[in-house]
């Protein structure tokens, strides 16, 4: 039952911070017993890194969709449209993986 700092973002994502206080179970200096308890929670008013990555990828997907729409109106860019559609699918998979990671961490506290 050693105590650690915790950082929590406004979206609910959190991470462990630095070691703060040793419990009475562990007598060796610098060692921890393995059970982490929150000593203090630092609230961050900004978004976490995962939310930033999701926002970037979403903006990229939106731009690609706009490009595809423009290219379809112009015509004569079939290969470019197909490649961009595959790229959109890949990025959507990455976004889903990031969101799953985010939700797992939020549920684990």
């Amino acid at each position: 039952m050693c105590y650690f700092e915790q950082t929590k973002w406004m979206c609910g994502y959190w991470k462990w911070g630095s070691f703060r206080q040793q419990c009475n179970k562990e007598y060796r200096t610098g060692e921890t017993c393995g059970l982490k308890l929150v000593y203090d929670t630092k609230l961050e008013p900004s978004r976490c890194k995962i939310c930033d990555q999701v926002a970037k990828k979403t903006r990229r997907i939106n731009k690609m969709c706009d490009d595809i729409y423009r290219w379809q109106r112009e015509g004569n860019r079939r290969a470019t449209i197909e490649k961009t559609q595959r790229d959109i699918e890949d990025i959507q998979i990455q976004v889903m993986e990031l969101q799953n990671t985010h939700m797992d961490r939020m549920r684990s506290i």
Side-chain angles (χ1 to χ4, degrees), residues 5-9 11-16 36-38 40-41 43 101-109:
E5 288 183 351
Q6 180 188 45
T7 304
K8 193 170 189 178
W9 284 269
C11 61
Y13 191 79
W14 63 273
K15 75 171 186 172
W16 289 113
K36 291 183 175 181
L37 295 177
V38 176
D40 186 32
T41 301
L43 298 174
T101 302
H102 193 272
M103 293 306 290
D104 289 344
R105 176 53 74 102
M106 286 174 44
R107 278 190 230 120
S108 68
I109 194 164

mmCIF file with all atom_site columns, all heavy atoms in Angstrom, residues 5-9 11-16 36-38 40-41 43 101-109:
data_model
loop_
_atom_site.group_PDB
_atom_site.id
_atom_site.type_symbol
_atom_site.label_atom_id
_atom_site.label_alt_id
_atom_site.label_comp_id
_atom_site.label_asym_id
_atom_site.label_entity_id
_atom_site.label_seq_id
_atom_site.pdbx_PDB_ins_code
_atom_site.Cartn_x
_atom_site.Cartn_y
_atom_site.Cartn_z
_atom_site.occupancy
_atom_site.B_iso_or_equiv
_atom_site.pdbx_formal_charge
_atom_site.auth_seq_id
_atom_site.auth_comp_id
_atom_site.auth_asym_id
_atom_site.auth_atom_id
_atom_site.pdbx_PDB_model_num
ATOM 1   N N   . GLU A 1 5   ? 1.531   9.694  -6.693  1.00 0.00 ? 5   GLU A N   1
ATOM 2   C CA  . GLU A 1 5   ? 0.737   10.783 -7.255  1.00 0.00 ? 5   GLU A CA  1
ATOM 3   C C   . GLU A 1 5   ? -0.045  10.244 -8.446  1.00 0.00 ? 5   GLU A C   1
ATOM 4   O O   . GLU A 1 5   ? 0.326   9.235  -9.046  1.00 0.00 ? 5   GLU A O   1
ATOM 5   C CB  . GLU A 1 5   ? 1.634   11.929 -7.712  1.00 0.00 ? 5   GLU A CB  1
ATOM 6   C CG  . GLU A 1 5   ? 2.236   12.704 -6.573  1.00 0.00 ? 5   GLU A CG  1
ATOM 7   C CD  . GLU A 1 5   ? 3.063   13.882 -7.058  1.00 0.00 ? 5   GLU A CD  1
ATOM 8   O OE1 . GLU A 1 5   ? 3.309   13.996 -8.275  1.00 0.00 ? 5   GLU A OE1 1
ATOM 9   O OE2 . GLU A 1 5   ? 3.454   14.673 -6.207  1.00 0.00 ? 5   GLU A OE2 1
ATOM 10  N N   . GLN A 1 6   ? -1.104  10.945 -8.797  1.00 0.00 ? 6   GLN A N   1
ATOM 11  C CA  . GLN A 1 6   ? -1.927  10.548 -9.931  1.00 0.00 ? 6   GLN A CA  1
ATOM 12  C C   . GLN A 1 6   ? -2.262  11.803 -10.733 1.00 0.00 ? 6   GLN A C   1
ATOM 13  O O   . GLN A 1 6   ? -2.546  12.853 -10.162 1.00 0.00 ? 6   GLN A O   1
ATOM 14  C CB  . GLN A 1 6   ? -3.220  9.892  -9.451  1.00 0.00 ? 6   GLN A CB  1
ATOM 15  C CG  . GLN A 1 6   ? -4.132  9.440  -10.556 1.00 0.00 ? 6   GLN A CG  1
ATOM 16  C CD  . GLN A 1 6   ? -5.478  8.988  -10.015 1.00 0.00 ? 6   GLN A CD  1
ATOM 17  O OE1 . GLN A 1 6   ? -6.055  9.647  -9.171  1.00 0.00 ? 6   GLN A OE1 1
ATOM 18  N NE2 . GLN A 1 6   ? -5.964  7.866  -10.520 1.00 0.00 ? 6   GLN A NE2 1
ATOM 19  N N   . THR A 1 7   ? -2.228  11.686 -12.053 1.00 0.00 ? 7   THR A N   1
ATOM 20  C CA  . THR A 1 7   ? -2.639  12.778 -12.932 1.00 0.00 ? 7   THR A CA  1
ATOM 21  C C   . THR A 1 7   ? -3.920  12.348 -13.612 1.00 0.00 ? 7   THR A C   1
ATOM 22  O O   . THR A 1 7   ? -4.005  11.242 -14.150 1.00 0.00 ? 7   THR A O   1
ATOM 23  C CB  . THR A 1 7   ? -1.567  13.074 -13.998 1.00 0.00 ? 7   THR A CB  1
ATOM 24  O OG1 . THR A 1 7   ? -0.327  13.351 -13.334 1.00 0.00 ? 7   THR A OG1 1
ATOM 25  C CG2 . THR A 1 7   ? -1.951  14.260 -14.853 1.00 0.00 ? 7   THR A CG2 1
ATOM 26  N N   . LYS A 1 8   ? -4.934  13.225 -13.581 1.00 0.00 ? 8   LYS A N   1
ATOM 27  C CA  . LYS A 1 8   ? -6.221  12.911 -14.187 1.00 0.00 ? 8   LYS A CA  1
ATOM 28  C C   . LYS A 1 8   ? -6.622  14.061 -15.101 1.00 0.00 ? 8   LYS A C   1
ATOM 29  O O   . LYS A 1 8   ? -6.600  15.215 -14.699 1.00 0.00 ? 8   LYS A O   1
ATOM 30  C CB  . LYS A 1 8   ? -7.272  12.706 -13.104 1.00 0.00 ? 8   LYS A CB  1
ATOM 31  C CG  . LYS A 1 8   ? -8.541  12.095 -13.584 1.00 0.00 ? 8   LYS A CG  1
ATOM 32  C CD  . LYS A 1 8   ? -9.420  11.709 -12.415 1.00 0.00 ? 8   LYS A CD  1
ATOM 33  C CE  . LYS A 1 8   ? -10.593 10.896 -12.906 1.00 0.00 ? 8   LYS A CE  1
ATOM 34  N NZ  . LYS A 1 8   ? -11.434 10.471 -11.801 1.00 0.00 ? 8   LYS A NZ  1
ATOM 35  N N   . TRP A 1 9   ? -6.963  13.723 -16.354 1.00 0.00 ? 9   TRP A N   1
ATOM 36  C CA  . TRP A 1 9   ? -7.363  14.732 -17.323 1.00 0.00 ? 9   TRP A CA  1
ATOM 37  C C   . TRP A 1 9   ? -8.870  14.903 -17.305 1.00 0.00 ? 9   TRP A C   1
ATOM 38  O O   . TRP A 1 9   ? -9.598  14.067 -16.778 1.00 0.00 ? 9   TRP A O   1
ATOM 39  C CB  . TRP A 1 9   ? -6.895  14.325 -18.717 1.00 0.00 ? 9   TRP A CB  1
ATOM 40  C CG  . TRP A 1 9   ? -5.442  14.531 -18.911 1.00 0.00 ? 9   TRP A CG  1
ATOM 41  C CD1 . TRP A 1 9   ? -4.828  15.640 -19.388 1.00 0.00 ? 9   TRP A CD1 1
ATOM 42  C CD2 . TRP A 1 9   ? -4.380  13.619 -18.599 1.00 0.00 ? 9   TRP A CD2 1
ATOM 43  N NE1 . TRP A 1 9   ? -3.474  15.474 -19.404 1.00 0.00 ? 9   TRP A NE1 1
ATOM 44  C CE2 . TRP A 1 9   ? -3.171  14.240 -18.927 1.00 0.00 ? 9   TRP A CE2 1
ATOM 45  C CE3 . TRP A 1 9   ? -4.355  12.333 -18.071 1.00 0.00 ? 9   TRP A CE3 1
ATOM 46  C CZ2 . TRP A 1 9   ? -1.948  13.623 -18.752 1.00 0.00 ? 9   TRP A CZ2 1
ATOM 47  C CZ3 . TRP A 1 9   ? -3.129  11.712 -17.890 1.00 0.00 ? 9   TRP A CZ3 1
ATOM 48  C CH2 . TRP A 1 9   ? -1.952  12.353 -18.230 1.00 0.00 ? 9   TRP A CH2 1
ATOM 49  N N   . CYS A 1 11  ? -11.039 14.448 -19.492 1.00 0.00 ? 11  CYS A N   1
ATOM 50  C CA  . CYS A 1 11  ? -11.775 13.399 -20.207 1.00 0.00 ? 11  CYS A CA  1
ATOM 51  C C   . CYS A 1 11  ? -11.944 12.136 -19.354 1.00 0.00 ? 11  CYS A C   1
ATOM 52  O O   . CYS A 1 11  ? -12.672 11.235 -19.735 1.00 0.00 ? 11  CYS A O   1
ATOM 53  C CB  . CYS A 1 11  ? -11.066 13.063 -21.512 1.00 0.00 ? 11  CYS A CB  1
ATOM 54  S SG  . CYS A 1 11  ? -9.394  12.446 -21.276 1.00 0.00 ? 11  CYS A SG  1
ATOM 55  N N   . GLY A 1 12  ? -11.251 12.051 -18.229 1.00 0.00 ? 12  GLY A N   1
ATOM 56  C CA  . GLY A 1 12  ? -11.347 10.884 -17.361 1.00 0.00 ? 12  GLY A CA  1
ATOM 57  C C   . GLY A 1 12  ? -10.128 9.976  -17.438 1.00 0.00 ? 12  GLY A C   1
ATOM 58  O O   . GLY A 1 12  ? -9.969  9.064  -16.630 1.00 0.00 ? 12  GLY A O   1
ATOM 59  N N   . TYR A 1 13  ? -9.245  10.187 -18.401 1.00 0.00 ? 13  TYR A N   1
ATOM 60  C CA  . TYR A 1 13  ? -8.026  9.389  -18.529 1.00 0.00 ? 13  TYR A CA  1
ATOM 61  C C   . TYR A 1 13  ? -7.088  9.743  -17.384 1.00 0.00 ? 13  TYR A C   1
ATOM 62  O O   . TYR A 1 13  ? -7.066  10.878 -16.918 1.00 0.00 ? 13  TYR A O   1
ATOM 63  C CB  . TYR A 1 13  ? -7.363  9.690  -19.882 1.00 0.00 ? 13  TYR A CB  1
ATOM 64  C CG  . TYR A 1 13  ? -6.256  8.748  -20.245 1.00 0.00 ? 13  TYR A CG  1
ATOM 65  C CD1 . TYR A 1 13  ? -6.526  7.491  -20.760 1.00 0.00 ? 13  TYR A CD1 1
ATOM 66  C CD2 . TYR A 1 13  ? -4.932  9.116  -20.078 1.00 0.00 ? 13  TYR A CD2 1
ATOM 67  C CE1 . TYR A 1 13  ? -5.509  6.618  -21.106 1.00 0.00 ? 13  TYR A CE1 1
ATOM 68  C CE2 . TYR A 1 13  ? -3.901  8.249  -20.418 1.00 0.00 ? 13  TYR A CE2 1
ATOM 69  C CZ  . TYR A 1 13  ? -4.205  7.009  -20.931 1.00 0.00 ? 13  TYR A CZ  1
ATOM 70  O OH  . TYR A 1 13  ? -3.199  6.145  -21.264 1.00 0.00 ? 13  TYR A OH  1
ATOM 71  N N   . TRP A 1 14  ? -6.319  8.783  -16.920 1.00 0.00 ? 14  TRP A N   1
ATOM 72  C CA  . TRP A 1 14  ? -5.412  9.031  -15.798 1.00 0.00 ? 14  TRP A CA  1
ATOM 73  C C   . TRP A 1 14  ? -4.128  8.245  -15.972 1.00 0.00 ? 14  TRP A C   1
ATOM 74  O O   . TRP A 1 14  ? -4.044  7.319  -16.760 1.00 0.00 ? 14  TRP A O   1
ATOM 75  C CB  . TRP A 1 14  ? -6.092  8.643  -14.485 1.00 0.00 ? 14  TRP A CB  1
ATOM 76  C CG  . TRP A 1 14  ? -6.424  7.185  -14.415 1.00 0.00 ? 14  TRP A CG  1
ATOM 77  C CD1 . TRP A 1 14  ? -7.549  6.581  -14.878 1.00 0.00 ? 14  TRP A CD1 1
ATOM 78  C CD2 . TRP A 1 14  ? -5.603  6.142  -13.876 1.00 0.00 ? 14  TRP A CD2 1
ATOM 79  N NE1 . TRP A 1 14  ? -7.486  5.224  -14.663 1.00 0.00 ? 14  TRP A NE1 1
ATOM 80  C CE2 . TRP A 1 14  ? -6.300  4.935  -14.040 1.00 0.00 ? 14  TRP A CE2 1
ATOM 81  C CE3 . TRP A 1 14  ? -4.352  6.122  -13.267 1.00 0.00 ? 14  TRP A CE3 1
ATOM 82  C CZ2 . TRP A 1 14  ? -5.781  3.720  -13.615 1.00 0.00 ? 14  TRP A CZ2 1
ATOM 83  C CZ3 . TRP A 1 14  ? -3.836  4.907  -12.850 1.00 0.00 ? 14  TRP A CZ3 1
ATOM 84  C CH2 . TRP A 1 14  ? -4.559  3.737  -13.019 1.00 0.00 ? 14  TRP A CH2 1
ATOM 85  N N   . LYS A 1 15  ? -3.110  8.622  -15.203 1.00 0.00 ? 15  LYS A N   1
ATOM 86  C CA  . LYS A 1 15  ? -1.863  7.859  -15.167 1.00 0.00 ? 15  LYS A CA  1
ATOM 87  C C   . LYS A 1 15  ? -1.230  8.018  -13.788 1.00 0.00 ? 15  LYS A C   1
ATOM 88  O O   . LYS A 1 15  ? -1.486  8.989  -13.070 1.00 0.00 ? 15  LYS A O   1
ATOM 89  C CB  . LYS A 1 15  ? -0.898  8.308  -16.257 1.00 0.00 ? 15  LYS A CB  1
ATOM 90  C CG  . LYS A 1 15  ? -0.223  9.635  -15.983 1.00 0.00 ? 15  LYS A CG  1
ATOM 91  C CD  . LYS A 1 15  ? 0.871   9.914  -16.982 1.00 0.00 ? 15  LYS A CD  1
ATOM 92  C CE  . LYS A 1 15  ? 1.614   11.191 -16.571 1.00 0.00 ? 15  LYS A CE  1
ATOM 93  N NZ  . LYS A 1 15  ? 2.778   11.424 -17.375 1.00 0.00 ? 15  LYS A NZ  1
ATOM 94  N N   . TRP A 1 16  ? -0.420  7.040  -13.435 1.00 0.00 ? 16  TRP A N   1
ATOM 95  C CA  . TRP A 1 16  ? 0.303   7.109  -12.174 1.00 0.00 ? 16  TRP A CA  1
ATOM 96  C C   . TRP A 1 16  ? 1.448   8.102  -12.301 1.00 0.00 ? 16  TRP A C   1
ATOM 97  O O   . TRP A 1 16  ? 2.098   8.177  -13.330 1.00 0.00 ? 16  TRP A O   1
ATOM 98  C CB  . TRP A 1 16  ? 0.865   5.750  -11.784 1.00 0.00 ? 16  TRP A CB  1
ATOM 99  C CG  . TRP A 1 16  ? -0.171  4.761  -11.356 1.00 0.00 ? 16  TRP A CG  1
ATOM 100 C CD1 . TRP A 1 16  ? -0.517  3.626  -11.997 1.00 0.00 ? 16  TRP A CD1 1
ATOM 101 C CD2 . TRP A 1 16  ? -0.993  4.833  -10.192 1.00 0.00 ? 16  TRP A CD2 1
ATOM 102 N NE1 . TRP A 1 16  ? -1.507  2.973  -11.320 1.00 0.00 ? 16  TRP A NE1 1
ATOM 103 C CE2 . TRP A 1 16  ? -1.819  3.697  -10.192 1.00 0.00 ? 16  TRP A CE2 1
ATOM 104 C CE3 . TRP A 1 16  ? -1.130  5.745  -9.153  1.00 0.00 ? 16  TRP A CE3 1
ATOM 105 C CZ2 . TRP A 1 16  ? -2.755  3.446  -9.204  1.00 0.00 ? 16  TRP A CZ2 1
ATOM 106 C CZ3 . TRP A 1 16  ? -2.063  5.499  -8.162  1.00 0.00 ? 16  TRP A CZ3 1
ATOM 107 C CH2 . TRP A 1 16  ? -2.851  4.365  -8.187  1.00 0.00 ? 16  TRP A CH2 1
ATOM 108 N N   . LYS A 1 36  ? -0.588  0.023  -5.199  1.00 0.00 ? 36  LYS A N   1
ATOM 109 C CA  . LYS A 1 36  ? -0.532  1.480  -5.362  1.00 0.00 ? 36  LYS A CA  1
ATOM 110 C C   . LYS A 1 36  ? -1.806  2.128  -4.836  1.00 0.00 ? 36  LYS A C   1
ATOM 111 O O   . LYS A 1 36  ? -2.908  1.720  -5.197  1.00 0.00 ? 36  LYS A O   1
ATOM 112 C CB  . LYS A 1 36  ? -0.365  1.852  -6.835  1.00 0.00 ? 36  LYS A CB  1
ATOM 113 C CG  . LYS A 1 36  ? 0.980   1.496  -7.401  1.00 0.00 ? 36  LYS A CG  1
ATOM 114 C CD  . LYS A 1 36  ? 1.093   1.973  -8.843  1.00 0.00 ? 36  LYS A CD  1
ATOM 115 C CE  . LYS A 1 36  ? 2.481   1.723  -9.366  1.00 0.00 ? 36  LYS A CE  1
ATOM 116 N NZ  . LYS A 1 36  ? 2.655   2.186  -10.737 1.00 0.00 ? 36  LYS A NZ  1
ATOM 117 N N   . LEU A 1 37  ? -1.632  3.135  -4.017  1.00 0.00 ? 37  LEU A N   1
ATOM 118 C CA  . LEU A 1 37  ? -2.736  3.962  -3.549  1.00 0.00 ? 37  LEU A CA  1
ATOM 119 C C   . LEU A 1 37  ? -2.458  5.406  -3.961  1.00 0.00 ? 37  LEU A C   1
ATOM 120 O O   . LEU A 1 37  ? -1.318  5.808  -4.125  1.00 0.00 ? 37  LEU A O   1
ATOM 121 C CB  . LEU A 1 37  ? -2.878  3.876  -2.030  1.00 0.00 ? 37  LEU A CB  1
ATOM 122 C CG  . LEU A 1 37  ? -3.262  2.510  -1.468  1.00 0.00 ? 37  LEU A CG  1
ATOM 123 C CD1 . LEU A 1 37  ? -3.286  2.558  0.046   1.00 0.00 ? 37  LEU A CD1 1
ATOM 124 C CD2 . LEU A 1 37  ? -4.625  2.078  -1.999  1.00 0.00 ? 37  LEU A CD2 1
ATOM 125 N N   . VAL A 1 38  ? -3.524  6.169  -4.105  1.00 0.00 ? 38  VAL A N   1
ATOM 126 C CA  . VAL A 1 38  ? -3.396  7.563  -4.550  1.00 0.00 ? 38  VAL A CA  1
ATOM 127 C C   . VAL A 1 38  ? -3.036  8.436  -3.356  1.00 0.00 ? 38  VAL A C   1
ATOM 128 O O   . VAL A 1 38  ? -3.733  8.459  -2.349  1.00 0.00 ? 38  VAL A O   1
ATOM 129 C CB  . VAL A 1 38  ? -4.708  8.051  -5.191  1.00 0.00 ? 38  VAL A CB  1
ATOM 130 C CG1 . VAL A 1 38  ? -4.606  9.515  -5.557  1.00 0.00 ? 38  VAL A CG1 1
ATOM 131 C CG2 . VAL A 1 38  ? -5.040  7.223  -6.405  1.00 0.00 ? 38  VAL A CG2 1
ATOM 132 N N   . ASP A 1 40  ? -2.092  11.893 -3.989  1.00 0.00 ? 40  ASP A N   1
ATOM 133 C CA  . ASP A 1 40  ? -2.678  13.166 -4.383  1.00 0.00 ? 40  ASP A CA  1
ATOM 134 C C   . ASP A 1 40  ? -3.033  13.078 -5.862  1.00 0.00 ? 40  ASP A C   1
ATOM 135 O O   . ASP A 1 40  ? -2.325  12.455 -6.640  1.00 0.00 ? 40  ASP A O   1
ATOM 136 C CB  . ASP A 1 40  ? -1.680  14.308 -4.150  1.00 0.00 ? 40  ASP A CB  1
ATOM 137 C CG  . ASP A 1 40  ? -2.282  15.668 -4.395  1.00 0.00 ? 40  ASP A CG  1
ATOM 138 O OD1 . ASP A 1 40  ? -3.495  15.830 -4.156  1.00 0.00 ? 40  ASP A OD1 1
ATOM 139 O OD2 . ASP A 1 40  ? -1.543  16.575 -4.830  1.00 0.00 ? 40  ASP A OD2 1
ATOM 140 N N   . THR A 1 41  ? -4.142  13.702 -6.239  1.00 0.00 ? 41  THR A N   1
ATOM 141 C CA  . THR A 1 41  ? -4.563  13.708 -7.640  1.00 0.00 ? 41  THR A CA  1
ATOM 142 C C   . THR A 1 41  ? -4.392  15.104 -8.202  1.00 0.00 ? 41  THR A C   1
ATOM 143 O O   . THR A 1 41  ? -4.916  16.071 -7.658  1.00 0.00 ? 41  THR A O   1
ATOM 144 C CB  . THR A 1 41  ? -6.034  13.274 -7.775  1.00 0.00 ? 41  THR A CB  1
ATOM 145 O OG1 . THR A 1 41  ? -6.175  11.966 -7.233  1.00 0.00 ? 41  THR A OG1 1
ATOM 146 C CG2 . THR A 1 41  ? -6.467  13.263 -9.221  1.00 0.00 ? 41  THR A CG2 1
ATOM 147 N N   . LEU A 1 43  ? -5.328  17.426 -11.171 1.00 0.00 ? 43  LEU A N   1
ATOM 148 C CA  . LEU A 1 43  ? -6.318  17.534 -12.237 1.00 0.00 ? 43  LEU A CA  1
ATOM 149 C C   . LEU A 1 43  ? -5.783  18.422 -13.354 1.00 0.00 ? 43  LEU A C   1
ATOM 150 O O   . LEU A 1 43  ? -5.376  19.556 -13.116 1.00 0.00 ? 43  LEU A O   1
ATOM 151 C CB  . LEU A 1 43  ? -7.629  18.095 -11.697 1.00 0.00 ? 43  LEU A CB  1
ATOM 152 C CG  . LEU A 1 43  ? -8.316  17.252 -10.624 1.00 0.00 ? 43  LEU A CG  1
ATOM 153 C CD1 . LEU A 1 43  ? -9.522  17.969 -10.071 1.00 0.00 ? 43  LEU A CD1 1
ATOM 154 C CD2 . LEU A 1 43  ? -8.712  15.904 -11.201 1.00 0.00 ? 43  LEU A CD2 1
ATOM 155 N N   . THR A 1 101 ? -8.390  1.865  -26.109 1.00 0.00 ? 101 THR A N   1
ATOM 156 C CA  . THR A 1 101 ? -7.348  2.044  -25.096 1.00 0.00 ? 101 THR A CA  1
ATOM 157 C C   . THR A 1 101 ? -7.785  3.075  -24.058 1.00 0.00 ? 101 THR A C   1
ATOM 158 O O   . THR A 1 101 ? -7.612  2.880  -22.856 1.00 0.00 ? 101 THR A O   1
ATOM 159 C CB  . THR A 1 101 ? -6.032  2.508  -25.763 1.00 0.00 ? 101 THR A CB  1
ATOM 160 O OG1 . THR A 1 101 ? -5.650  1.545  -26.742 1.00 0.00 ? 101 THR A OG1 1
ATOM 161 C CG2 . THR A 1 101 ? -4.927  2.678  -24.745 1.00 0.00 ? 101 THR A CG2 1
ATOM 162 N N   . HIS A 1 102 ? -8.350  4.151  -24.534 1.00 0.00 ? 102 HIS A N   1
ATOM 163 C CA  . HIS A 1 102 ? -8.814  5.233  -23.657 1.00 0.00 ? 102 HIS A CA  1
ATOM 164 C C   . HIS A 1 102 ? -9.905  4.729  -22.711 1.00 0.00 ? 102 HIS A C   1
ATOM 165 O O   . HIS A 1 102 ? -9.859  4.976  -21.501 1.00 0.00 ? 102 HIS A O   1
ATOM 166 C CB  . HIS A 1 102 ? -9.322  6.379  -24.522 1.00 0.00 ? 102 HIS A CB  1
ATOM 167 C CG  . HIS A 1 102 ? -9.540  7.654  -23.781 1.00 0.00 ? 102 HIS A CG  1
ATOM 168 N ND1 . HIS A 1 102 ? -10.726 7.955  -23.165 1.00 0.00 ? 102 HIS A ND1 1
ATOM 169 C CD2 . HIS A 1 102 ? -8.718  8.700  -23.563 1.00 0.00 ? 102 HIS A CD2 1
ATOM 170 C CE1 . HIS A 1 102 ? -10.621 9.128  -22.604 1.00 0.00 ? 102 HIS A CE1 1
ATOM 171 N NE2 . HIS A 1 102 ? -9.418  9.606  -22.817 1.00 0.00 ? 102 HIS A NE2 1
ATOM 172 N N   . MET A 1 103 ? -10.880 4.001  -23.252 1.00 0.00 ? 103 MET A N   1
ATOM 173 C CA  . MET A 1 103 ? -11.983 3.495  -22.432 1.00 0.00 ? 103 MET A CA  1
ATOM 174 C C   . MET A 1 103 ? -11.494 2.460  -21.426 1.00 0.00 ? 103 MET A C   1
ATOM 175 O O   . MET A 1 103 ? -11.975 2.435  -20.285 1.00 0.00 ? 103 MET A O   1
ATOM 176 C CB  . MET A 1 103 ? -13.075 2.900  -23.319 1.00 0.00 ? 103 MET A CB  1
ATOM 177 C CG  . MET A 1 103 ? -13.809 3.936  -24.181 1.00 0.00 ? 103 MET A CG  1
ATOM 178 S SD  . MET A 1 103 ? -14.504 5.302  -23.230 1.00 0.00 ? 103 MET A SD  1
ATOM 179 C CE  . MET A 1 103 ? -15.804 4.463  -22.379 1.00 0.00 ? 103 MET A CE  1
ATOM 180 N N   . ASP A 1 104 ? -10.556 1.606  -21.817 1.00 0.00 ? 104 ASP A N   1
ATOM 181 C CA  . ASP A 1 104 ? -10.018 0.613  -20.885 1.00 0.00 ? 104 ASP A CA  1
ATOM 182 C C   . ASP A 1 104 ? -9.361  1.289  -19.697 1.00 0.00 ? 104 ASP A C   1
ATOM 183 O O   . ASP A 1 104 ? -9.527  0.866  -18.548 1.00 0.00 ? 104 ASP A O   1
ATOM 184 C CB  . ASP A 1 104 ? -9.011  -0.300 -21.586 1.00 0.00 ? 104 ASP A CB  1
ATOM 185 C CG  . ASP A 1 104 ? -9.664  -1.260 -22.563 1.00 0.00 ? 104 ASP A CG  1
ATOM 186 O OD1 . ASP A 1 104 ? -10.901 -1.438 -22.488 1.00 0.00 ? 104 ASP A OD1 1
ATOM 187 O OD2 . ASP A 1 104 ? -8.938  -1.824 -23.404 1.00 0.00 ? 104 ASP A OD2 1
ATOM 188 N N   . ARG A 1 105 ? -8.596  2.337  -19.942 1.00 0.00 ? 105 ARG A N   1
ATOM 189 C CA  . ARG A 1 105 ? -7.909  3.035  -18.858 1.00 0.00 ? 105 ARG A CA  1
ATOM 190 C C   . ARG A 1 105 ? -8.906  3.755  -17.955 1.00 0.00 ? 105 ARG A C   1
ATOM 191 O O   . ARG A 1 105 ? -8.760  3.780  -16.743 1.00 0.00 ? 105 ARG A O   1
ATOM 192 C CB  . ARG A 1 105 ? -6.907  4.039  -19.439 1.00 0.00 ? 105 ARG A CB  1
ATOM 193 C CG  . ARG A 1 105 ? -6.200  4.882  -18.412 1.00 0.00 ? 105 ARG A CG  1
ATOM 194 C CD  . ARG A 1 105 ? -5.528  4.053  -17.307 1.00 0.00 ? 105 ARG A CD  1
ATOM 195 N NE  . ARG A 1 105 ? -4.350  3.384  -17.714 1.00 0.00 ? 105 ARG A NE  1
ATOM 196 C CZ  . ARG A 1 105 ? -3.134  3.778  -17.451 1.00 0.00 ? 105 ARG A CZ  1
ATOM 197 N NH1 . ARG A 1 105 ? -2.923  4.872  -16.753 1.00 0.00 ? 105 ARG A NH1 1
ATOM 198 N NH2 . ARG A 1 105 ? -2.124  3.088  -17.866 1.00 0.00 ? 105 ARG A NH2 1
ATOM 199 N N   . MET A 1 106 ? -9.949  4.318  -18.546 1.00 0.00 ? 106 MET A N   1
ATOM 200 C CA  . MET A 1 106 ? -10.952 5.021  -17.741 1.00 0.00 ? 106 MET A CA  1
ATOM 201 C C   . MET A 1 106 ? -11.712 4.050  -16.844 1.00 0.00 ? 106 MET A C   1
ATOM 202 O O   . MET A 1 106 ? -12.076 4.387  -15.724 1.00 0.00 ? 106 MET A O   1
ATOM 203 C CB  . MET A 1 106 ? -11.918 5.783  -18.653 1.00 0.00 ? 106 MET A CB  1
ATOM 204 C CG  . MET A 1 106 ? -11.298 7.025  -19.246 1.00 0.00 ? 106 MET A CG  1
ATOM 205 S SD  . MET A 1 106 ? -12.329 7.882  -20.454 1.00 0.00 ? 106 MET A SD  1
ATOM 206 C CE  . MET A 1 106 ? -13.917 7.889  -19.713 1.00 0.00 ? 106 MET A CE  1
ATOM 207 N N   . ARG A 1 107 ? -11.943 2.830  -17.325 1.00 0.00 ? 107 ARG A N   1
ATOM 208 C CA  . ARG A 1 107 ? -12.673 1.832  -16.540 1.00 0.00 ? 107 ARG A CA  1
ATOM 209 C C   . ARG A 1 107 ? -11.802 1.205  -15.456 1.00 0.00 ? 107 ARG A C   1
ATOM 210 O O   . ARG A 1 107 ? -12.327 0.648  -14.500 1.00 0.00 ? 107 ARG A O   1
ATOM 211 C CB  . ARG A 1 107 ? -13.183 0.726  -17.453 1.00 0.00 ? 107 ARG A CB  1
ATOM 212 C CG  . ARG A 1 107 ? -14.459 1.082  -18.144 1.00 0.00 ? 107 ARG A CG  1
ATOM 213 C CD  . ARG A 1 107 ? -15.031 -0.143 -18.846 1.00 0.00 ? 107 ARG A CD  1
ATOM 214 N NE  . ARG A 1 107 ? -15.334 0.255  -20.210 1.00 0.00 ? 107 ARG A NE  1
ATOM 215 C CZ  . ARG A 1 107 ? -14.822 -0.284 -21.285 1.00 0.00 ? 107 ARG A CZ  1
ATOM 216 N NH1 . ARG A 1 107 ? -14.016 -1.295 -21.205 1.00 0.00 ? 107 ARG A NH1 1
ATOM 217 N NH2 . ARG A 1 107 ? -15.139 0.155  -22.480 1.00 0.00 ? 107 ARG A NH2 1
ATOM 218 N N   . SER A 1 108 ? -10.495 1.265  -15.594 1.00 0.00 ? 108 SER A N   1
ATOM 219 C CA  . SER A 1 108 ? -9.607  0.523  -14.692 1.00 0.00 ? 108 SER A CA  1
ATOM 220 C C   . SER A 1 108 ? -9.400  1.185  -13.340 1.00 0.00 ? 108 SER A C   1
ATOM 221 O O   . SER A 1 108 ? -8.809  0.598  -12.466 1.00 0.00 ? 108 SER A O   1
ATOM 222 C CB  . SER A 1 108 ? -8.261  0.272  -15.353 1.00 0.00 ? 108 SER A CB  1
ATOM 223 O OG  . SER A 1 108 ? -7.564  1.485  -15.522 1.00 0.00 ? 108 SER A OG  1
ATOM 224 N N   . ILE A 1 109 ? -9.846  2.391  -13.155 1.00 0.00 ? 109 ILE A N   1
ATOM 225 C CA  . ILE A 1 109 ? -9.663  3.038  -11.840 1.00 0.00 ? 109 ILE A CA  1
ATOM 226 C C   . ILE A 1 109 ? -10.765 2.634  -10.943 1.00 0.00 ? 109 ILE A C   1
ATOM 227 O O   . ILE A 1 109 ? -11.132 2.172  -10.145 1.00 0.00 ? 109 ILE A O   1
ATOM 228 C CB  . ILE A 1 109 ? -9.620  4.557  -11.949 1.00 0.00 ? 109 ILE A CB  1
ATOM 229 C CG1 . ILE A 1 109 ? -9.093  5.127  -10.652 1.00 0.00 ? 109 ILE A CG1 1
ATOM 230 C CG2 . ILE A 1 109 ? -10.970 5.131  -12.234 1.00 0.00 ? 109 ILE A CG2 1
ATOM 231 C CD1 . ILE A 1 109 ? -8.646  6.548  -10.771 1.00 0.00 ? 109 ILE A CD1 1
#
